[in-house]
Amino acid sequence: MGGQLAKLVARRGRWFIILPPLVFLFLFFLIPFGFALKISFGEAALRIPPFTDLFGRDAAGHLHWQGTWVSYRYLLTDDVYIVSVLYSLRTALFATLICLLVGYPMAYAMSRASKSTQNILMMVIILPFWTSFLLRVYALESLIRDNGLLNTALLQLGVIDHPLRMMHTTFAIYLGIVYSYLPFMVLPLYATLEKLDRSLLEAASDLGSRPWRAFVDVTLPLSVPGIIAGSMLVFIPAVGEYVIPALLGGPDNLMIGRVLWDEFFGNHDWPVASAVAIAFLVLLAGPIAIHQYYRVRQEEY
Amino acid sequence: MDSRMPISLVSVLCLGIAFLYVPILILIGYSFNASALGSVWGGFSTQWYAALLEDAHIRKAAMLSLEIAFASSTLAVLLGTLASIALVRFPIFRGRFLLAGMINAPLVMPEIITGITQLLLFVSMLQLLGWPSRGVVTVILSHVAFCTAYVAVTVQSRLQSADMSLEEAAMDLGATRPRAFLDVTLPLIAPALLSSWLLSFTLSLDDLVISSFVSGPRSSTLPMVIYSKVKLGVSPDINAMATLIIAGVGVCVILASVLMRRAERLREREMQAAGI
C-alpha cells in the first residue's frame, strides 16, 4: 500500500504541486466570475437569492434559455452607469499620466544613483506600499481638509485669507490616486531603467548625440516596457477605486467603484450590480490583457 | 556611477519621496496631539493611545484581523510557493496558461470586482452546499486568493534566479529530487518566502473592500471599523491606531530586510570560500 503510494507520487508527483493552487484559484478566483455572469442574467422579479436557472426544460424536455437581458438594458438606459464609467476612465487616465510624469524622473534618478543608495531608495519607495492603503488615504485627508495642516499653514503665512476647499473635489481624487499609486509606477520604471545598458548611451554620446537627444532616442524607447507595466498597475486599479472617491471625493466625483458599492449595499440590486461588474470587466479586458502579455513576456526573457 | 547627476533630478526624487512620507509623518504627529481638533496643537499627550486600548470594539476587530491575516498569509505562502514551483520548474503541463493567468490577474483586478464576484460565489455555495456562511472563513478564503498571487509572483522571480546546478549536484550525490529541493533550493528561496508572508500579512490586515463584501454581520475586520469611524469625521484615536500599525509594519519590514541582506552576504561569502 505504502509502496504503491510512493510509486504514485513519483510518477504523478508534479500534480501534487500543480493541483492545489490551480484548484484553489479556479474555485475562488475564476468560478466567481461565472456566478456573476449567471446572476447578471437573473430574473428581475427574483432579485433576491435564489436566482432562477438560466436554462429550463420545457414540456418536451428541451433545454431553453430563460435568462434575461433586463439588467444590461437597464445599464444603457440609466445615465449614471455610463457617466460614471466614462468619468472613472478619464480620471484614471489623467492620474496615470501624472504618476508617469512624476514617477519617471524619480525612477531615472534612482537608476543613476550608486548601488548602495539604490538599495536604500528602493526600500524608501516600497515602504509606503506596505503601510495601510486606507490609513494613507486618511492621512491625506488630515492634510487637505478645510482646517487641515496645509490650510492652517497657508493662512498663518498669509498666502490665503480663507481656507482653500480641497476636500471633496476633483483635485482631492487626483491627489489621492497619485499619492497611493506612485510607488506602483516608480518600481517597474526603475526596474527597466536600472537594467538599461549604459554603453548604448555612451555610444550615442561618442557619436555626437547631446544628452537630451540620447535620452529621447535611446533611454525612452528602451524604457517602454516599464512605462506600460507601471501605467497598467496604476490605471486598472484606479478605474475601480472605491476608497479614494468615497473618502476624498464629493458627490460629483461619481466613480464606478462607488456606484457598484452603493448598488450592492444600498439598493441590494444584485443582478444589476453583477451586470455592472461584468460590463466593467469587459471594458478592462484590454488593459488587463496588455498587463498579462507584458508579465508573461517578462517571465520568458 | 554617474556622479554628475543633475540637481533637477535629485530634487525631483527628494520631492517625490517627501510627498510620499509627509502625510504619514503628520498623522503620527497628530496622534500625540492633546487637542481633538486636527489643526490646533494642544500639547503632547498619549491620551488617544489610552482611549484606543480601552475601546473593546476596536480591540476585538484588531484581534480578528490579526487572526485572519495570520491564517491567510500562511495558507497563501503554501499555495503561492507551489504555484511558483509549478510555473518555474514544469515548462509544460495542462493548465499552465490558466495558472499563470490566475496568479497575474488578481494583481491588477479592481478589488471591488473581486469582492462582488466572490460574494456571489459564497452566497451561491451556501445555497447549494450549505457552506460556508459569511464570516471569518469566507474572509480568509478570499484573502488567500489574492495573497497567493502576490506570493507566487515574488517567489517565482526568486526561484528563476536560483541556481539549478546546485540541486543537480545534490542529486548526483544521491539525493532524491524532493530531498534535493528541500535541502538545497528551499533555503535559497527562504528569504522570498519570508518577505511574501509579510507582504500577504499586511495586505490581508489592510484589506477593506473585499472584506466588506464577503464578511458576515459579526465579523467586522479592523479596516472596516476604521473606515466607518473615518467616514464619520475626525477621530483622533484613529491617528493613534494608524501610528501603531505603521510603526509595527515599518519595524518588521526594515528588520526583515536587514536580516535578509545579512543572510545573503553570509551566503555569498560561503560560496566564495567554497570556490563556486
Side-chain angles (χ1 to χ4, degrees), chain B residues 103-174:
Chain B
I103 67 160
N104 283 314
L107 304 183
V108 287
M109 189 62 66
E111 285 179 311
I112 198 129
I113 295 188
T114 312
I116 287 182
T117 55
Q118 282 175 339
L119 168 64
L120 297 176
L121 171 83
F122 292 136
V123 169
S124 307
M125 274 173 77
L126 188 62
Q127 273 170 36
L128 297 171
L129 312 170
W131 182 87
S133 52
R134 277 193 275 159
V136 178
V137 173
T138 50
V139 176
I140 291 177
L141 284 173
S142 47
H143 284 193
V144 172
F146 72 79
C147 290
T148 297
Y150 280 92
V151 173
V153 168
T154 315
V155 177
Q156 201 180 355
S157 62
R158 185 75 200 191
L159 255 186
Q160 267 159 349
S161 62
D163 196 350
M164 268 299 274
S165 63
L166 292 176
E167 208 175 297
E168 275 155 18
M171 281 163 69
D172 288 344
L173 293 172

Side-chain angles (χ1 to χ4, degrees), chain A:
Chain A
M1 184 67 200
Q4 264 177 346
L5 188 70
K7 241 184 258 170
L8 185 75
V9 171
R11 199 153 32 89
R12 297 252 165 243
R14 60 187 207 161
W15 288 106
F16 286 84
I17 293 170
I18 297 165
L19 277 180
L22 190 68
V23 170
F24 184 88
L25 288 175
F26 187 72
L27 273 180
F28 295 107
F29 182 73
L30 203 60
I31 289 284
F33 289 100
F35 278 101
L37 194 64
K38 172 179 179 273
I39 290 167
S40 71
F41 288 108
E43 196 64 58
L46 294 166
R47 284 190 167 176
I48 40 158
F51 301 96
T52 44
D53 285 330
L54 294 190
F55 297 94
R57 283 185 190 279
D58 56 23
H62 295 299
L63 273 179
H64 68 99
W65 167 257
Q66 59 182 27
T68 165
W69 288 87
V70 141
S71 300
Y72 288 94
R73 223 172 287 137
Y74 183 64
L75 296 192
L76 294 176
T77 49
D78 194 335
D79 276 354
V80 70
Y81 302 104
I82 297 170
V83 168
S84 64
V85 162
L86 290 178
Y87 179 76
S88 308
L89 288 173
R90 200 183 66 198
T91 307
L93 181 70
F94 286 134
T96 307
L97 285 176
I98 299 171
C99 275
L100 184 60
L101 288 177
V102 178
Y104 200 102
M106 285 175 73
Y108 189 72
M110 275 172 78
S111 73
R112 301 194 43 182
S114 71
K115 199 73 208 163
S116 56
T117 319
Q118 280 189 22
N119 284 332
I120 296 169
L121 286 172
M122 267 275 275
M123 197 68 223
V124 168
I125 299 287
I126 290 176
L127 205 55
F129 170 66
W130 287 76
T131 52
S132 166
F133 178 78
L134 175 63
L135 291 175
R136 275 186 295 140
V137 174
Y138 170 65
L140 214 49
E141 184 185 338
S142 57
L143 185 64
I144 63 168
R145 62 169 174 254
D146 288 358
N147 62 354
L149 198 78
L150 204 58
N151 268 321
T152 313
L154 289 174
L155 283 169
Q156 298 265 315
L157 290 171
V159 181
I160 49 174
D161 47 16
H162 55 88
L164 288 174
R165 180 145 187 77
M166 288 178 283
M167 271 298 283
H168 311 304
T169 62
T170 308
F171 166 77
I173 303 262
Y174 282 118
L175 188 70
I177 297 178
V178 173
Y179 176 63
S180 311
Y181 289 99
L182 189 59
F184 291 94
M185 179 63 89
V186 174
L187 290 174
L189 279 173
Y190 163 74
T192 33
L193 287 170
E194 188 245 350
K195 272 185 286 190
L196 202 97
D197 194 350
R198 268 305 128 64
S199 59
L200 290 174
L201 283 177
E202 278 159 24
S205 121
D206 288 347
L207 293 171
S209 204
R210 286 160 177 278
W212 176 246
R213 251 287 21 122
F215 173 78
V216 172
D217 288 343
V218 180
T219 311
L220 201 55
L222 286 174
S223 59
V224 164
I227 293 176
I228 292 175
S231 300
M232 292 302 135
L233 283 179
V234 176
F235 179 77
I236 304 171
V239 180
E241 187 52 54
Y242 168 74
V243 175
I244 294 171
L247 282 184
L248 301 179
D252 305 338
N253 310 111
L254 208 55
M255 288 182 75
I256 186 70
R258 241 175 120 181
V259 172
L260 261 173
W261 182 285
D262 294 342
E263 202 67 65
F264 236 94
F265 293 115
N267 304 343
H268 298 287
D269 195 337
W270 291 18
V272 168
S274 307
V276 178
I278 293 293
F280 181 32
L281 191 66
V282 169
L283 266 179
L284 287 182
I288 291 176
I290 295 173
H291 165 82
Q292 298 279 40
Y293 172 77
Y294 270 89
R295 279 219 45 101
V296 170
R297 226 176 59 157
Q298 197 190 338
E299 275 157 31
E300 277 168 6
Y301 296 106

Side-chain angles (χ1 to χ4, degrees), chain B residues 12 29 35-36 39 46 53 61-62 68 89 115-116 123 134 144 152 169 188 193 201 213 219 222 225 243 257 263:
Chain B
V12 167
S35 162
S39 50
T46 51
L53 288 176
I68 290 173
R89 290 296 170 80
I116 287 182
V123 169
R134 277 193 275 159
V144 172
L188 278 177
L193 298 188
F201 191 86
F213 280 100
S219 54
L222 188 59
V225 173
T243 304
S257 73

